[in-house]
Amino acid sequence: MEFDLIELIRRHTAQARDDVRVGIGDDAAVLAVPAGQELAVAIDTLVEGVHFPRGTTPADIGWKALAVNLSDLAAMGASPAWALLALTMPSADAAFVEGFAEGFAKLAQPHRLALVGGDTTRGPLTISVAVHGFVPPGHALTRAGARAGDAVLVTGTLGDAAAGLHAVQHPPRDDDRTGLRGFLIERLNRPTPRLAAGTALRGQATACVDVSDGLLADLGHICTASGVAAEIEAALLPRSSALLELHDDTTALHFALSGGDDYELCFTVPAARVAELQAGLARLGCGATKIGRIVEGEGVRVRAADGSRLATDRPGWEHFA
Amino acid sequence: MEFDLIELIRRHTAQARDDVRVGIGDDAAVLAVPAGQELAVAIDTLVEGVHFPRGTTPADIGWKALAVNLSDLAAMGASPAWALLALTMPSADAAFVEGFAEGFAKLAQPHRLALVGGDTTRGPLTISVAVHGFVPPGHALTRAGARAGDAVLVTGTLGDAAAGLHAVQHPPRDDDRTGLRGFLIERLNRPTPRLAAGTALRGQATACVDVSDGLLADLGHICTASGVAAEIEAALLPRSSALLELHDDTTALHFALSGGDDYELCFTVPAARVAELQAGLARLGCGATKIGRIVEGEGVRVRAADGSRLATDRPGWEHFA
């Protein structure tokens, strides 16, 4: 049974790459890393009911399982190449696998990412994907290089995925705002890993992280790794019109600061380079907003429009909270 | 919480390797594959109650989660280098993680394998490990090269892990055979990946697979991939004295043919090279037994001592059976 399922996935995700010497179907894949490239690798797991709500479609799960991993490569400035899939599910459900593979492939194909191996097992629905990408030696973006005086920027908009989860969990009584809710749910289920932005930030950003656990938590990782503090201005946080129309300002701010799952990039850059960098990212179709700056100290502080400091007691989404 | 757990694992599994440019603690690890090596990668998942019985110690789970993956590298003739860990567990249990990391590290350290990244999530106990190893270009062992006339060999003994599972599930009423049972349970919980044998088989074996789903199933994979058939002689199957003392011949044979989880290597080699290869493996401390031969056709046939053909209706352990 296992082999039929893997064959089903392979058919959907077939991707010709010269650097795959042995692909799906042996004990391990054999791969050739191009000369002059280092390998960036990450693994992330989605558990039903924890990382996506029950009722999420198989295709959305397939997309998201890959997206959250590609987002890790984006945050390192790496270009994706290969993935491994560990798919655990309650029964050998070919319809589920077909839908899953379709969503996975839809995101994989434009990035020429090849699925090179996997394991299907019986158990509660849990998906781990490991991704591999390339980055020129010494050019990987890390969390550790932010310096006092740097500007803090974020791509896209924040808080949409948290609002999307809220929309899934609170079905509307009327449906005159279906379009707005649909946009937010799409942001939850089909996040866009910022791969082009990530590679454009090589040699530009001093530190970078993807916003998976919430801005406060993830920017906090940059601060800890870099030995600095960050000051964020609440009024500058980029929020979608859908978020602002469906939620009051306090909730929208909470989602933008602490909601997870947006998979935007948060990065730091010398203040003098901000405008040029924003123009470059805009040419890639990726907006980037300056939201604050790096200062001496530790931790992340948020200032309201009147200059007062906001209490931010919930630092982000804790996996075991 | 997640970061404390990963830090706990990192402390236990710390392993200095020059080829790890960025290790645990960023969005992805950054790794340098040595010039002149290809990369072998595999992923395998263990689910509680499916791949190990409830009650298995955390240290045994940690060992086995890595061992089953290293066994895949062994089957390809690759040398291990790095691993990623996706650990899903019901609650943030530091004692579990500590035990798990200890067992994992005990197997990782002698092989200089570095844990370079991971993800800890909340959910039913499920462990996926992805491993990475090196193999010289064109020298990976695959399932596809067996030819009619080749001998079929297997390392070590078969059926011990199945008998070990039986021992766990049927606690003894007396304990005068504790030592034998303990040996078999150790074979179940702490399998030894045949890494040295795997690299010694490069350029020697025409096909290779690890015995994870049972000999009939795994040798069947070689036959399918190579477009050949295999004839096995039941009397030649290597079985431990513990297996033979605790079980009658029929059961011992069934375990040896269809029991999974032994993680021995099954491989094919031109008949003229068998003796020399066995001597070479013996010098590495790894016994290898000739159990049959490759012939034209398809499938795996088993012959009893009197020459009659055994019915083998259960082809191996199906993950979704």
Side-chain angles (χ1 to χ4, degrees), chain B residues 136-227:
Chain B
H139 281 68
L141 304 170
T142 72
R143 302 173 174 182
R147 286 167 299 215
D150 284 353
V152 178
L153 285 87
V154 67
T155 61
T157 56
L158 295 176
D160 294 332
L165 182 60
H166 183 274
V168 170
Q169 292 171 337
H170 301 81
R173 267 167 261 171
D174 56 67
D175 59 358
D176 60 338
R177 284 166 154 189
T178 302
L180 298 177
R181 271 187 280 265
F183 168 83
L184 296 171
I185 293 170
E186 185 84 357
R187 289 274 288 159
L188 172 71
N189 288 336
R190 299 254 175 168
T192 304
R194 293 294 192 179
L195 287 158
T199 53
L201 290 174
R202 287 182 199 156
Q204 304 286 325
T206 52
C208 186
V209 73
D210 74 325
V211 182
S212 53
D213 294 340
L215 179 68
L216 292 178
D218 292 310
L219 179 53
H221 296 326
I222 285 183
C223 291
T224 303
S226 300

Side-chain angles (χ1 to χ4, degrees), chain B:
Chain B
M1 186 71 86
E2 182 186 15
F3 294 92
D4 293 344
L5 292 180
I6 288 177
E7 173 59 24
L8 197 59
I9 295 170
R10 198 195 59 73
R11 275 210 307 274
H12 275 274
T13 59
Q15 187 77 250
R17 286 186 67 105
D18 290 343
D19 52 19
V20 178
R21 302 285 191 255
V22 177
I24 288 177
D26 220 299
D27 287 290
V30 181
L31 308 166
V33 175
Q37 298 283 327
E38 288 181 348
L39 192 67
V41 301
I43 193 165
D44 265 318
T45 301
L46 301 186
V47 180
E48 184 179 47
V50 179
H51 301 92
F52 56 88
R54 282 170 219 283
T56 304
T57 69
D60 283 343
I61 298 169
W63 174 290
K64 189 163 184 172
L66 179 57
V68 303
N69 279 282
L70 291 183
S71 182
D72 284 325
L73 293 186
M76 302 300 286
S79 306
W82 314 304
L84 302 170
L85 166 66
L87 174 57
T88 301
M89 55 186 170
S91 64
D93 179 343
F96 177 90
V97 170
E98 191 119 18
F100 179 93
E102 184 199 305
F104 186 100
K106 191 165 183 184
L107 178 58
Q109 268 159 12
H111 297 295
R112 296 202 54 246
L113 176 125
L115 184 70
V116 297
D119 188 25
T120 59
T121 51
R122 179 165 54 84
L125 187 57
T126 306
I127 306 106
S128 291
V129 173
V131 286
H132 301 73
F134 306 142
V135 62
H139 281 68
L141 304 170
T142 72
R143 302 173 174 182
R147 286 167 299 215
D150 284 353
V152 178
L153 285 87
V154 67
T155 61
T157 56
L158 295 176
D160 294 332
L165 182 60
H166 183 274
V168 170
Q169 292 171 337
H170 301 81
R173 267 167 261 171
D174 56 67
D175 59 358
D176 60 338
R177 284 166 154 189
T178 302
L180 298 177
R181 271 187 280 265
F183 168 83
L184 296 171
I185 293 170
E186 185 84 357
R187 289 274 288 159
L188 172 71
N189 288 336
R190 299 254 175 168
T192 304
R194 293 294 192 179
L195 287 158
T199 53
L201 290 174
R202 287 182 199 156
Q204 304 286 325
T206 52
C208 186
V209 73
D210 74 325
V211 182
S212 53
D213 294 340
L215 179 68
L216 292 178
D218 292 310
L219 179 53
H221 296 326
I222 285 183
C223 291
T224 303
S226 300
V228 296
E231 279 190 354
I232 298 305
E233 293 180 51
L236 297 181
L237 292 173
R239 280 162 288 176
S240 68
S241 52
L243 173 64
L244 292 170
E245 284 198 40
L246 288 177
H247 294 279
D248 64 37
D249 203 56
T250 305
T251 304
L253 181 61
H254 175 69
F255 284 164
L257 286 171
S258 302
D261 261 7
D262 283 319
Y263 301 100
E264 298 294 346
L265 297 182
C266 176
F267 57 97
T268 59
V269 64
R273 287 206 199 161
V274 170
E276 185 190 339
L277 194 63
Q278 284 175 313
L281 292 177
R283 284 192 294 274
L284 297 172
C286 177
T289 306
K290 185 187 162 189
I291 59 171
R293 62 200 184 103
I294 297 296
V295 295
E296 307 280 351
E298 58 184 38
V300 179
R301 293 187 288 275
V302 183
R303 298 213 171 270
D306 65 3
S308 66
R309 185 169 161 194
L310 286 178
T312 50
D313 52 344
R314 182 167 170 257
W317 189 69
E318 291 280 347
H319 290 276
F320 289 104

